[in-house]
Structure formats: structure tokens, C-alpha cells
Amino acid sequence: MANNSNTIARSFLQVASTEEVAPPLRVVQIEGLVILKIIKHCKEFSPALVTGQLLGLDVGSILEVTNCFPFPIREEDEEIEADGANYQLEMMRCLREVNVDNNTVGWYQSTLLGSFQTVELIETFMNYQENIRRCVCIIYDPSRSNQGVLALKALKLSDAFMELYRSNNFTGEKLRERNLSWVDIFEEIPVKVSNSALISAFMTELEADSPITQCDYDRLQLSTNPFMERNVEFLIECMDELSIEQQKFQFYYRNLSRQQAQQQAWLQKRRSENMARKAAGEEPLPEEDPSNPIFKPIPEPSRLDSFLITNQISNFCNQINGVTGQSFSRLYLMKALQES
Amino acid sequence: MAASEHTALQFTPVLSSSSLLAKVHPLVIFNICDCYVRRPDQAERVIGTLLGSVLPDGTVDIRNSYAVPHNESSDQVALDIDYHHNMLLSHQKVNPKEAIVGWYSTGLGVTGGSALIHEFYSREVPNPIHLTVDTGFRNGEGTIKAYVSVNLSLGDCQLAVQFQEIPVDLRMVEAEQVGFDILKTPMVDKIPSDLEGMEASMQRLLALIDDVHKYVDDVVEGHTASDSSIGRFISETVASLPKLLPSAFDKLVNDNLQLCGYLDIGGFLSD
């Protein structure tokens, strides 16, 4: 008897003391309804950028997103801040009444040509992470979707990066220590789409009979010049910003080496003074002098911005790659048509 | 009180129903189905508000919807009006242009309680549209119908109101843009990337061209009767290919290829 109760007590204790290890997030499962809602909201307000809240369930290694609602465009006014919070509470309460999952799992935002890697995104992530164990951000690009591609992706910050951000220290050695480079900031999570049986029945019925759809018309369109132009423009801007950051670093390193040279010179002088004093039988002066301004450590500029810029550049390059791939195929198709 | 068709009463339609058309966006259908799947156990159907706008040519554009909790017994219907107004305000904070255009209910056909609800909505909006979505697939298919109310009067005395059906435009352009493949299967493992999508489109185009080719061959060999309108379409399409000198066309294509090539290499290098 005593044994039994001991084992039971121990197992309770064990359960209470072992922390649940959350399985890593592997897949984000979105419902078709959410995709349509996001598309509608982003398209209606394009080119302005909009955001909204995602609701759903966190199940093991799958994050299910079952519904969402848009945020009104926020004015830059203190009073409206409270309104925004009220709106959110009101929406969640109303949706709860019709049995929608009342659980926030992240947010979505629209972007212009993929330029979304900013410090604000990281800060929003950190804010959400305080309250929710697992959250995800869905980025939708309405301009790319005009090309017939569903430009939707799910992102989250990598854990290593989050720890580093909390310590707010982005110097070179810290990053080398943790082996963190610019690819490690954001993690893209694969997206699955699910639909209830009812809606798939309806959609199967409502699908137009024609073998070619609007999607195909968009994809086979020959003129991609405006899109490519804007992409390349943004790329050039990013390159400019990157070169500014590089210059900052060069400046820092030059200052650092100059300071070190000064320190060496001062040290030499101090040492020769000390030798003279020793010869004269006096106390040697200390070899350090923290009050001297040349010993003040120069702060190293944060590498966060350059990492983010590099991320954006890589994004633009990938997009250009994608579009040129499509253009190649279209051009060859045209050539074949013309020849026959 | 949905009136029967066997009546000798006169119609005085509120609006000339021949010009009224309801255009439904796919999001509305998705919303309705989702609410139906999540309805409380004791409810047989779901009722909600339709949001949208009226286009200049009179078509009612139904763009969004939300469910409204209700209680229904054999002879009474109670709708949560506060909820309805709260949701409306919330939706209008995001998109002030979306106004009430009607209401929906799931199920086939119009029932007794619907007239009362329709009356309530008539007080919100002058001529509400009533949309029924048959989630039970009772006719073997998912019927989506829209109705407006039409007054029945005998002389000057108004007797009853009848639900008259109006045509519904269900062309789902947005759903087409997303791709029906993603929206009609219960589970899609991966959103197709640029090149995969391109490949799919090209395959469809190829299939179409093959079909046309086969049709033309059949007509030439006498297997199929020729249809001059189709023939004209085909000749117009072929003629619409711009006639450039081969050298000019080659130059055009090569320039574009070069541009794409440079950008591609640039992309790889900066990575």
C-alpha cells in the first residue's frame, strides 16, 4: 500500500516537475478561408500596408490557423491606441460567440515587393512571444500575386536569434561565438492548406468549366517590365543602404586602430617614464590610466541593420530569379509559336 | 408568410427585378460554410448578415458576411440584434465602405421564420437580398439562390410579401486567381512555387492547343461538322499573333533573354 501511494506521489511529482518540451514547429496549416480573407484585406488597401490577427490552434508540431480578422488602419494618435485594443477585444468576444477558435496564434501583414525585414517586425515578434508560446507571422505580397503566384509565406524568428536580441548585443564576436549569420534570423515554415469537406464540395461545384482560369492568364502575361523595374529599384536602394552600413564599420575600425596606436604610444611613454623613475628611485606610475580619454572603449555599431538589409537583398534576388525563370519560359514559348 | 404561386393577386414589384443581379464573392461562401460547420449543436441552420455595396449598374456586390447568433423554435425566431450591430461597427472600422446589403441563411428554400427576419433587415436597408445556401445538398448539388421581397397587393390594399428569386452571379474570379486546386481539395501539402505554377499553366495551354488542333483536323477530314463561328474564332486568334519579320522578332526575343540572363546572374552573385 505504502509502495503504491509512494509511486503515485512520485509520478505526480514527476509530472509536475518535468516541463513540457514543446515539439519544434514544423508546419503551418492554414484554412482556405483565412487565405481568402488575407488576400481580400491586403488587396483592398494596396498599396498601403495592412495587418491583422490570426486565430487558431497550436497542436503538437502543427500550428493550425483557422480564422483571422483585419486591424483597422491605425492613426498616429494616443487616444486611438485604446480604441485599437477595444476593437481587438470586441472582435475576439464576438467571434467566440459563434464558436470560432479564440486563440491568437500570430498576425499577418502585407508587404510591398518583399521588403518586410525591418526592426519593427522583430519587435512585434518579441512582443507576441512574451504572451504566446508559439506565434507565426504570415507575409502576403499582393503585387506578386498579380503575376499569378500565391505569394504567401509563414515566418518566425529563430530561437537563437531571439536570445541574442534579448541581450541586445550585436557585436561581431558574440555573433561569431553563436555561429549566427544573416540567414539565421528568420525561419520560413512550410505552409499547408486545408479546407473543410463542405467547402471543398461547394468549390468543386462552382469551379468554372473552362480549362483555363484567370490564374493562367496572369501567369502567361508577357509584360513583366514594371514589376522587374521596381524590384531592381528596391535592390539598388538596399545596396546603397548596405554600403552606408559598410562605411560605418570601416569608420569604426579605423577609429579603433587609431585608438590602439595611441594607447601603444602612451604605454611606451609611460614605460620609459617608469624606467627613469626607477633609476631615480621613485614609485613607478601605473601602466593604465582609465581617466585618459584614449582608453575609453569605442562602441561597436550594431550589426543588426546590416543583417536585415542583407536579408532583404536576398529576398529581392530570389524574386528576380523567380520572375526571370518565368520570363524565360514565356519567351521560349513565344519563339516556338512564332516559328510554327 | 411566403405566398404560394397559385394566386390571382397583382404584383407591384418594389424594384424592377429583371435588372437586379446579385454577385457573390467566394469569401462569402467560405464564411457561410465555416459558420455552418461551427454552429451550436441545437441549431439547424445559420443566419447572418451580408455586407457589400450596390454597384452603379444596380448589381448588388456581396463581398463579406458574418454570422449572427439566433434562437429558433417552431413559430418564433429571435436574433441577437446587439451582436449584429457590434459586428457591423467593427467591420466598418476596417472598411467603412462595406454596408449591409441583406442576410443569408443555410438550407434549401425559404421558411416561415424567414419572412420575419427579412422584415427586420428591411428596416436596416431598403431592399435587402436574402441568400440561401443549401449546405445539405438536398438536390444533389449545393444550390445558392438569392431572393428579394416583392409586395403583393390587391388594388390599393397590401396583402402580403413574396420572395422572388433573382439571378446570382457566381463567377469566382478571386478564387480563380488563387487557384481552385488549393481551394477545393481538403488538404494541399505545398503552395506551388513560381515555376511549378508556370509549368501547370503551360500544360493547360498545350492541352487547349491540342484540342483545337484535333478539332481542325477532324473538320478537314470530314469527321465533325464544321461550325463557321468557331472557324472564325480560330482564324482571328492565329491572325492576332503579331507579324514581325523573323529578324526583328529574334532581336526582340534575344534582347529580353539577355536582360533576364543578366538579372539572373546578378541575383546569384549577390547571394
Side-chain angles (χ1 to χ4, degrees):
Chain A
M1 241 1 209
N3 255 353
N4 269 348
S5 56
N6 262 349
T7 45
I8 294 178
R10 217 173 337 139
S11 61
F12 268 161
L13 203 60
Q14 277 176 346
V15 167
S17 60
T18 48
E19 249 184 51
E20 251 181 57
V21 176
L25 181 59
R26 253 191 280 274
V27 143
V28 173
Q29 188 172 299
I30 309 188
E31 293 217 352
L33 171 69
V34 175
I35 293 189
L36 278 182
K37 273 193 174 177
I38 294 180
I39 294 181
K40 172 180 185 286
H41 186 214
C42 296
K43 238 197 213 163
E44 265 174 10
F45 288 92
S46 155
L49 302 181
V50 291
T51 57
Q53 184 103 305
L54 297 172
L55 305 168
L57 296 167
D58 185 1
V59 181
S61 63
I62 302 183
L63 190 67
E64 291 187 24
V65 181
T66 54
N67 214 324
C68 67
F69 61 84
F71 285 145
I73 303 220
R74 202 180 289 183
E75 321 281 321
E76 299 295 329
D77 197 349
E78 279 310 313
E79 300 175 346
I80 318 274
E81 288 278 338
D83 265 356
N86 276 343
Y87 168 84
Q88 210 170 334
L89 288 171
E90 186 67 33
M91 270 307 248
M92 304 264 278
R93 191 180 63 80
C94 287
L95 288 174
R96 179 77 199 95
E97 277 190 48
V98 280
N99 287 338
V100 173
D101 298 320
N102 204 11
N103 197 18
T104 309
V105 292
W107 82 102
Y108 68 84
Q109 63 182 63
S110 68
T111 172
L112 198 57
L113 279 186
S115 57
F116 54 86
Q117 287 105 337
T118 57
V119 187
E120 289 89 23
L121 184 67
I122 298 185
E123 284 180 6
T124 319
F125 250 119
M126 300 305 289
N127 278 337
Y128 268 89
Q129 202 73 17
E130 309 269 311
N131 302 324
I132 318 172
R133 198 180 60 165
R134 264 223 279 252
C135 71
V136 78
C137 172
I138 293 192
I139 307 272
Y140 174 69
D141 189 350
S143 49
R144 258 190 88 203
S145 300
N146 286 338
Q147 313 266 319
V149 177
L150 182 58
L152 195 85
K153 58 168 106 170
L155 284 186
K156 91 176 182 65
L157 286 183
S158 66
D159 297 325
F161 178 75
M162 278 200 290
E163 282 176 35
L164 197 60
Y165 191 78
R166 283 199 191 111
S167 68
N168 210 2
N169 187 344
F170 287 106
T171 56
E173 318 93 64
K174 262 265 164 347
L175 292 166
R176 263 188 298 266
E177 199 179 295
R178 288 170 183 264
N179 214 6
L180 206 66
S181 97
W182 59 269
V183 283
D184 296 321
I185 300 186
F186 295 106
E187 257 177 54
E188 191 178 327
I189 309 175
V191 168
K192 267 196 198 185
V193 180
S194 77
N195 291 304
S196 70
L198 181 62
I199 196 66
S200 48
F202 263 107
M203 282 293 128
T204 318
E205 230 185 78
L206 293 172
E207 185 179 5
D209 272 330
S210 86
I212 292 252
T213 63
Q214 184 67 31
C215 184
D216 300 315
Y217 285 135
D218 287 336
R219 280 186 199 145
L220 292 172
Q221 230 184 37
L222 278 179
S223 86
T224 55
N225 279 342
F227 179 72
M228 292 254 257
E229 273 174 30
R230 281 171 61 212
N231 240 331
V232 178
E233 258 179 52
F234 279 5
L235 190 61
I236 295 178
E237 273 178 31
C238 268
M239 291 294 207
D240 283 340
E241 285 177 25
L242 192 63
S243 69
I244 292 179
E245 291 285 317
Q246 300 273 28
Q247 279 178 359
K248 270 198 228 168
F249 274 108
Q250 280 184 344
F251 191 62
Y252 164 74
Y253 279 124
R254 260 205 305 265
N255 278 347
L256 194 64
S257 52
R258 196 176 42 201
Q259 191 192 47
Q260 281 186 344
Q262 282 178 338
Q263 286 176 4
Q264 283 296 85
W266 186 88
L267 202 57
Q268 287 287 57
K269 213 171 62 165
R270 200 30 92 80
R271 284 213 180 111
S272 55
E273 266 184 35
N274 276 343
M275 301 268 269
R277 285 166 87 106
K278 213 158 46 164
E282 290 173 3
E283 279 288 316
L285 293 168
E287 292 202 344
E288 268 184 24
D289 187 1
S291 60
N292 198 327
I294 60 176
F295 279 108
K296 199 165 81 155
I298 311 180
E300 186 179 336
S302 155
R303 291 185 187 261
L304 180 62
D305 285 330
S306 49
F307 273 11
L308 289 174
I309 294 177
T310 322
N311 257 323
Q312 287 205 21
I313 292 183
S314 131
N315 219 5
F316 288 137
C317 291
N318 283 338
Q319 273 173 199
I320 294 184
N321 276 343
V323 174
T324 49
Q326 284 187 323
S327 305
F328 271 133
S329 353
R330 278 195 286 256
L331 286 171
Y332 277 121
L333 180 66
M334 273 279 291
K335 204 161 161 187
L337 264 179
Q338 192 75 340
E339 277 165 16
S340 61
Chain B
M1 287 155 44
S4 64
E5 273 96 74
H6 318 295
T7 168
L9 298 174
Q10 249 180 341
F11 281 94
T12 43
V14 170
L15 192 69
S16 160
S17 39
S18 54
S19 64
L20 194 59
L21 178 69
K23 184 164 163 32
V24 178
H25 287 241
L27 179 60
V28 175
I29 310 285
F30 268 81
N31 258 332
I32 296 177
C33 289
D34 187 63
C35 293
Y36 182 75
V37 169
R38 287 173 189 272
R39 72 191 186 288
D41 292 325
Q42 68 274 21
E44 269 189 27
R45 61 175 182 161
V46 181
I47 295 184
T49 311
L50 294 172
L51 300 173
S53 61
V54 180
L55 300 176
D57 63 353
T59 314
V60 180
D61 194 27
I62 305 177
R63 279 202 292 267
N64 205 347
S65 67
Y66 58 82
V68 178
H70 74 284
N71 273 325
E72 208 168 352
S73 55
S74 52
D75 54 351
Q76 277 192 353
V77 183
L79 209 59
D80 192 344
I81 300 184
D82 283 334
Y83 181 95
H84 158 71
H85 279 134
N86 282 339
M87 277 295 251
L88 179 66
L89 289 173
S90 297
H91 273 102
Q92 287 189 325
K93 273 195 204 157
V94 177
N95 199 345
K97 286 185 281 198
E98 277 183 1
I100 304 182
V101 292
W103 64 287
Y104 70 81
S105 85
T106 57
L108 186 63
V110 181
T111 67
S114 306
L116 297 165
I117 306 179
H118 199 84
E119 201 186 339
F120 162 70
Y121 276 96
S122 315
R123 279 178 255 139
E124 308 258 336
V125 129
N127 194 22
I129 303 256
H130 172 40
L131 191 74
T132 58
V133 176
D134 184 17
T135 45
F137 281 71
R138 241 168 288 176
N139 282 342
E141 55 175 24
T143 4
I144 300 180
K145 287 188 195 278
Y147 301 91
V148 282
S149 73
V150 151
N151 282 327
L152 291 172
S153 67
L154 188 60
D156 288 331
C157 164
Q158 181 160 356
L159 284 176
V161 172
Q162 189 201 34
F163 279 110
Q164 193 169 53
E165 196 181 328
I166 60 173
V168 178
D169 180 2
L170 286 169
R171 277 171 310 163
M172 311 239 139
V173 179
E174 295 97 346
E176 281 184 6
Q177 281 186 325
V178 172
F180 266 106
D181 305 324
I182 297 187
L183 293 176
K184 73 176 181 188
T185 45
M187 179 68 76
V188 176
D189 280 329
K190 199 168 86 77
I191 297 185
S193 74
D194 306 355
L195 290 180
E196 286 168 10
M198 199 66 196
E199 195 186 327
S201 296
M202 297 257 214
Q203 277 176 352
R204 279 196 276 261
L205 186 61
L206 199 61
L208 266 189
I209 295 183
D210 275 343
D211 278 345
V212 172
H213 201 167
K214 190 163 151 333
Y215 172 77
V216 170
D217 278 345
D218 279 347
V219 168
V220 164
E221 290 175 17
H223 295 310
T224 332
S226 65
D227 186 347
S228 52
S229 54
I230 297 186
R232 264 195 294 265
F233 261 135
I234 297 180
S235 65
E236 271 176 28
T237 318
V238 174
S240 66
L241 283 176
K243 284 199 176 38
L244 300 170
L245 286 176
S247 53
F249 184 74
D250 270 341
K251 182 168 174 313
L252 201 65
V253 171
N254 282 331
D255 279 347
N256 264 321
L257 280 178
Q258 266 189 354
L259 181 64
C260 292
Y262 281 142
L263 287 174
D264 223 8
I265 294 175
F268 276 125
L269 282 180
S270 17
D271 259 350

